[in-house]
Amino acid sequence: MDLRLTSLTAALLASLLSASALGAVVVLPKYNVSTNDVSVSGLSSGGYMAAQMHFAYSKTIKKGAGIVAGGPVYCSQGNVSIATGPCMADTGSRNLSYLESVIDTWSGNGYIDPTSNLAGARVYLFSGTLDSTVRQPVMNDLNSMYAHYINAANIFYKNTLAAEHSMPTDFFGNACSVNGSPYVNNCNFDTAGEILKWIYGPLNAKNVSTLSGTFINFDQAAFWGNFNPNTHGMASSGYAYVPASCAEGQACKLHVAFHGCKQNVATVGVNYYQNTGYNRWADTNNMIVLYPQATSTAANPNGCWDWWGYDDVNFPAKSGGQMVAIKTMIDRIVSGNVAAPYTCGHWYDSNYWHVYYGRAYIGGDGQVYATNSNQYLGYYSTAAYTDVRRTSAGYYAYGSCP
């Protein structure tokens, strides 16, 4: 898998066939999910995305994270040469102490949630010894970064399996030593299961037969406010696996799984969201798995998640466009729980009144930003009108409701 900016021909037919099999795109439903049971994981660019989501929104992603072939948060520093060099090929130092000092500053000024929220999280890290795309020393630094904020007993680092750059499974994919599409390899190792068991503790045995639940194809555009997600590196729709128990209203957990570059539905069809092993465990453990979808753009031809700033200078922050989109997806899902019964609220008003009513605040530069997401809204003026939405208690972002 190539996280770099090289050309890509998307397999459009696979995308169309998959969408057709799932039926019409639907509004993402609400479910009975506790806000204490949300976790994330990801591979490659998805691993970077999962880690930066975990750090930026640690108040929301309380349970933990699983990172496969990723690296330290803000490793790229917004520079693609650093991203492809030190942060992938290990061609130089990642200056970990500097990255941690930046994170500490962000934690203190609200650019991300306070890092103190990470203390109780559980983190599973995986790096294959054969990985030729994201070299193992890069993951070693992520391990050190997490250990700076989390007790070592809460971190498990699997770095002994002879696996190439892929999501290792115990039932599907290429040979373990292959670095190639769909970047899912049969290594006789259940990475998804190990991640989920480490984060959530003992689980019921996985279902290796026919799944009881359903896959849904949901509208991602709704979570971009008034923007077109396609121009920001995200597809118009995403996917989720919902066990029958969760659809029926039982108490469930939520895990968000980020695919890597060249691994979205448009490129590999169902191979990531149906064949990486998460759903087998989700089916028997009351767990919804959300599979957001990135897409190709001129600046991001490989359909990667934004971990180097191809779309947004605030890519690792609470205010990053993709970050807000995923956060509001989570808010939507958990709002079916009685403890988080928020439906999207929308106000089109002047920035003066947004500030007055607490939906926004005035930054140090005299400009107006949405409360909690920190998204830029414009001038502090009675003449500057902006759409603002609330998707959870005290959390506001730019845009309107679905």
Side-chain angles (χ1 to χ4, degrees), residues 62-85:
K62 297 177 182 178
K63 205 68 181 180
I67 315 298
V68 180
V73 174
Y74 196 51
C75 185
S76 71
Q77 300 177 49
N79 184 314
V80 69
S81 295
I82 296 175
T84 56

Side-chain angles (χ1 to χ4, degrees), residues 94-374:
R94 285 156 293 282
N95 199 348
L96 190 60
S97 60
Y98 168 73
L99 297 179
E100 290 171 349
S101 71
V102 170
I103 288 171
D104 291 342
T105 298
W106 290 349
S107 170
N109 64 21
Y111 197 59
I112 64 175
D113 284 346
T115 53
S116 57
N117 295 314
L118 294 167
R122 291 175 66 82
V123 174
Y124 187 97
L125 307 175
F126 179 92
S127 176
T129 62
L130 302 180
D131 196 320
S132 59
T133 300
V134 178
R135 302 286 183 174
Q136 199 162 85
V138 180
M139 278 292 290
N140 294 346
D141 275 356
L142 178 60
N143 181 41
S144 297
M145 173 176 279
Y146 264 116
H148 186 71
Y149 299 99
I150 298 176
N151 189 300
N154 281 11
I155 303 171
F156 187 92
Y157 185 19
K158 175 71 173 178
N159 58 358
T160 57
L161 187 66
E164 246 292 2
H165 190 72
S166 65
M167 181 70 175
T169 78
D170 61 352
F171 73 103
F172 177 84
N174 299 320
C176 202
S177 60
V178 171
N179 185 348
S181 185
Y183 305 99
V184 181
N185 287 0
N186 189 341
C187 299
N188 295 313
F189 185 79
D190 185 0
T191 310
E194 294 305 309
I195 288 172
L196 296 176
K197 287 185 291 182
W198 180 256
I199 292 174
Y200 288 101
L203 297 177
N204 297 326
K206 62 187 176 184
N207 181 1
V208 296
S209 185
T210 303
L211 298 176
S212 72
T214 57
F215 292 97
I216 63 170
N217 185 199
F218 70 91
D219 177 22
Q220 283 193 159
F223 300 97
W224 272 91
N226 300 332
F227 292 124
N228 178 358
N230 300 162
T231 62
H232 296 277
M234 285 186 69
S236 296
S237 65
Y239 298 82
Y241 177 69
V242 183
S245 58
C246 299
E248 292 165 359
Q250 292 186 32
C252 287
K253 300 174 273 291
L254 172 63
H255 185 75
V256 183
F258 294 99
H259 64 74
C261 303
K262 298 184 180 180
Q263 218 178 19
N264 55 11
V265 167
T267 308
V268 300
V270 304
N271 283 322
Y272 189 83
Y273 79 85
Q274 289 193 17
N275 294 322
T276 46
Y278 290 103
N279 308 322
R280 293 178 161 202
W281 291 95
D283 201 48
T284 54
N285 288 281
N286 291 351
M287 185 182 303
I288 295 164
V289 187
L290 185 73
Y291 298 97
Q293 292 291 298
T295 195
S296 302
T297 64
N300 172 42
N302 290 328
C304 306
W305 292 100
D306 191 6
W307 66 279
W308 71 86
Y310 69 75
D311 178 64
D312 193 333
V313 295
N314 296 311
F315 66 93
K318 292 168 66 174
S319 57
Q322 292 184 1
M323 304 286 276
V324 170
I326 303 303
K327 165 66 165 79
T328 53
M329 289 178 197
I330 294 171
D331 287 346
R332 169 70 179 178
I333 289 174
V334 304
S335 66
N337 186 282
V338 293
Y342 280 85
T343 56
C344 187
H346 168 239
W347 298 265
Y348 178 67
D349 212 337
S350 76
N351 284 341
Y352 174 85
W353 290 112
H354 286 317
V355 171
Y356 181 85
Y357 286 111
R359 300 188 287 262
Y361 65 92
I362 303 171
D365 56 1
Q367 305 293 298
V368 176
Y369 298 84
T371 298
N372 208 322
S373 75
N374 307 321

